[in-house]
Amino acid sequence: MTSQPNSHASFARTCRALDFLDVRGILAGFCKTDSGRNICLEMSPAQSLQLAERLLDETAQMIALLNSGNNLFPVSVESPLPTLVKIRKGMTPEKENFKSVISFLHVVERINVFVSEEIRETDKLRAICRNFDPLDEVVRFFSATLDGEGEVKSDASAALVDMESRINSLRRKINKSAEEMISREEIKEMLQDDYVTIRNGRLALPVKAEFKNSFAGIIHGISASEKTAFMEPQELVRENNLLQEILSERDEEIYRLVRLAAQMMREREKEIARNYEIAGRLDATASRARFSILIDGGRPVFTTDGSIRFSNLRHPLMVFRKENPCANSLVMKETEKTLVVSGPNAGGKTVLLKSIGLASTLSSCGLFPPIGAGSGFPFAGAKLFAL
């Protein structure tokens, strides 16, 4: 392993020479998951022909899947891992944390449907999902308990439904009583205005400061000008107290459901982390497929006799950027070991050589380069970066 530093240097040098880093960045930009982006940013040629062929098979099946309108990642998917870390530390997740988890569980449902269909033409993609867990009970609980923003739904439990009904009924009663008070002549003259407000979670009326000691009620605040005292009428104290009790009960029930959601995640931590890894692999494969489609890529054939045949070869990045590059063809027999490229300055020599190197590299990574039918060349794989 003493040659490892040199290998890293060769890898970086070849990446720069072939604009391979640009391709990795484009692929990462297509991804909908952080794990998929990381896979693309660290992408390198396969170590073996067998692995390269498997990656090409996965890409081919994903291209077919996308062309059929089946998109496993229609929107961005947030990682559940930070929430798992928070739960592991004994902390209670916030709604933003649960929003991320819900985003992840949506893609879990899509992957589960895909795996369950068992379409023969997607066997390589389903192999990626070999250890996938549908997390049925977690999906059902989160779907029934939390909305898309990570908030506990008002009908998440029978207790919450009952409390919401009581809260709404009591609020209507309190508001009606307050409106009746405002309409009384003896009250009107003490009010700064004829409206009700909420102070410290309790209904209050805007009482003129000079009447704050003669108005029967509790002061919950004074205006900045000190001309208005926001007072809870004594007549409404009992109902307001009862409302606060029910609101407190509701908060306790919401907290119970939040802790239950956190407990379910903790119990299925390994499965959740593994599913996210699987989602990342599928996401990275979808990224390879999208790029291959956009550059009008064709599946390469790895020759075993050392021969090289490129037809209608174009520079992948120039095609992606719609720069309309010229297509080139190249044929070298097994016995031909040397290629001489000559021509005037700016005649396309460098572009041709980069196109050949990048096509070979992308093929080893599981992408379809922009080549015509019948194109084939030897598998170079990771050896290319040792040159």
Side-chain angles (χ1 to χ4, degrees):
M1 302 300 292
T2 55
S3 62
Q4 190 173 8
N6 290 333
S7 297
H8 287 315
S10 298
F11 181 85
R13 186 167 57 250
T14 308
C15 281
R16 289 193 298 270
L18 295 178
D19 300 322
F20 184 63
L21 296 179
D22 291 347
V23 175
R24 293 201 298 195
I26 292 169
L27 294 177
F30 288 150
C31 288
K32 304 297 184 180
T33 66
D34 286 338
S35 53
R37 278 186 281 274
N38 291 334
I39 290 173
C40 289
L41 290 174
E42 296 173 3
M43 182 182 69
S44 61
Q47 297 286 335
S48 67
L49 174 60
Q50 182 181 13
L51 176 57
E53 292 285 9
R54 193 194 78 195
L55 292 172
L56 289 171
D57 286 340
E58 293 171 358
T59 302
Q61 293 187 357
M62 186 63 79
I63 289 174
L65 200 66
L66 291 174
N67 287 337
S68 71
N70 191 339
N71 184 2
L72 294 175
F73 302 91
V75 296
S76 293
V77 180
E78 297 187 51
S79 171
L81 302 184
T83 303
L84 284 174
V85 171
K86 193 170 187 177
I87 293 171
R88 200 182 306 126
K89 292 179 178 178
M91 302 169 67
T92 302
E94 304 290 339
K95 66 176 183 178
E96 291 79 11
N97 303 124
F98 282 133
K99 183 178 179 181
S100 300
V101 175
I102 291 167
S103 167
F104 162 70
L105 290 178
H106 284 327
V107 82
V108 167
E109 291 183 276
R110 297 183 72 88
I111 294 174
N112 187 35
V113 171
F114 166 69
V115 173
S116 301
E117 290 176 342
E118 294 188 358
I119 302 172
R120 182 174 59 83
E121 292 78 8
T122 59
D123 60 312
K124 303 299 182 182
L125 292 179
R126 285 187 288 109
I128 295 176
C129 309
R130 186 177 295 108
N131 296 316
F132 175 80
D133 191 308
L135 297 172
D136 290 331
E137 72 280 13
V138 178
V139 170
R140 282 195 297 268
F141 181 82
F142 272 70
S143 178
T145 306
L146 301 164
D147 62 22
E149 296 301 313
E151 298 272 14
V152 174
K153 295 180 179 180
S154 59
D155 60 350
S157 70
L160 275 182
V161 171
D162 176 64
M163 282 182 268
E164 288 291 341
S165 176
R166 290 158 57 198
I167 288 169
N168 291 332
S169 176
L170 194 52
R171 278 175 171 164
R172 286 193 296 269
K173 180 180 178 181
I174 293 172
N175 285 330
K176 182 178 179 181
S177 298
E179 290 171 1
E180 290 176 352
M181 289 185 66
I182 291 174
S183 65
R184 297 180 202 166
E185 290 300 326
E186 69 272 20
I187 298 293
K188 276 185 177 181
E189 65 177 11
M190 291 189 281
L191 299 180
Q192 196 69 259
D193 209 337
D194 58 347
Y195 68 85
V196 297
T197 184
I198 302 296
R199 287 293 186 275
N200 300 325
R202 302 174 75 92
L203 188 144
L205 301 179
V207 178
K208 294 176 182 177
E210 59 266 32
F211 293 107
K212 65 182 180 181
N213 293 323
S214 56
F215 184 88
I218 302 170
I219 296 177
H220 286 289
I222 303 293
S223 68
S225 64
E226 298 186 353
K227 293 182 178 180
T228 305
F230 298 101
M231 301 186 65
E232 176 185 358
Q234 189 63 42
E235 295 178 32
L236 302 181
V237 170
R238 180 179 175 278
E239 284 80 4
N240 266 332
N241 284 343
L242 182 57
L243 177 61
Q244 293 305 311
E245 289 177 11
I246 302 174
L247 288 173
S248 179
E249 291 176 18
R250 184 183 66 175
D251 289 342
E252 290 179 7
E253 175 65 6
I254 289 173
Y255 181 72
R256 183 187 72 82
L257 293 170
V258 166
R259 294 304 304 168
L260 184 55
Q263 180 183 341
M264 294 184 76
M265 288 189 65
R266 181 64 190 268
E267 291 173 351
R268 303 304 300 276
E269 180 177 355
K270 291 182 180 178
E271 292 84 356
I272 290 172
R274 185 168 62 239
N275 278 7
Y276 186 62
E277 180 185 356
I278 290 170
R281 288 186 59 191
L282 289 171
D283 189 23
T285 304
S287 178
R288 298 200 309 265
R290 289 190 181 93
F291 186 76
S292 298
I293 292 171
L294 289 173
I295 63 175
D296 191 25
R299 178 158 185 165
V301 174
F302 294 120
T303 60
T304 57
D305 60 1
S307 62
I308 297 174
R309 178 183 293 275
F310 282 107
S311 68
N312 200 33
L313 170 66
R314 291 152 294 155
H315 192 287
L317 285 173
M318 294 179 71
V319 175
F320 177 77
R321 294 165 182 159
K322 303 185 184 302
E323 296 176 4
N324 195 27
C326 293
N328 291 280
S329 295
L330 170 67
V331 177
M332 293 184 68
K333 299 178 182 178
E334 177 185 1
T335 56
E336 295 174 331
K337 305 297 183 183
T338 304
L339 173 66
V340 178
V341 182
S342 64
N345 291 337
K349 299 187 296 298
T350 301
V351 171
L352 171 61
L353 293 174
K354 281 191 172 186
S355 299
I356 294 171
L358 197 51
S360 177
T361 304
L362 296 186
S363 300
S364 300
C365 293
L367 289 97
F368 291 11
I371 53 178
S375 296
F377 41 87
F379 170 73
K383 295 179 182 178
L384 180 68
F385 290 95
L387 298 176

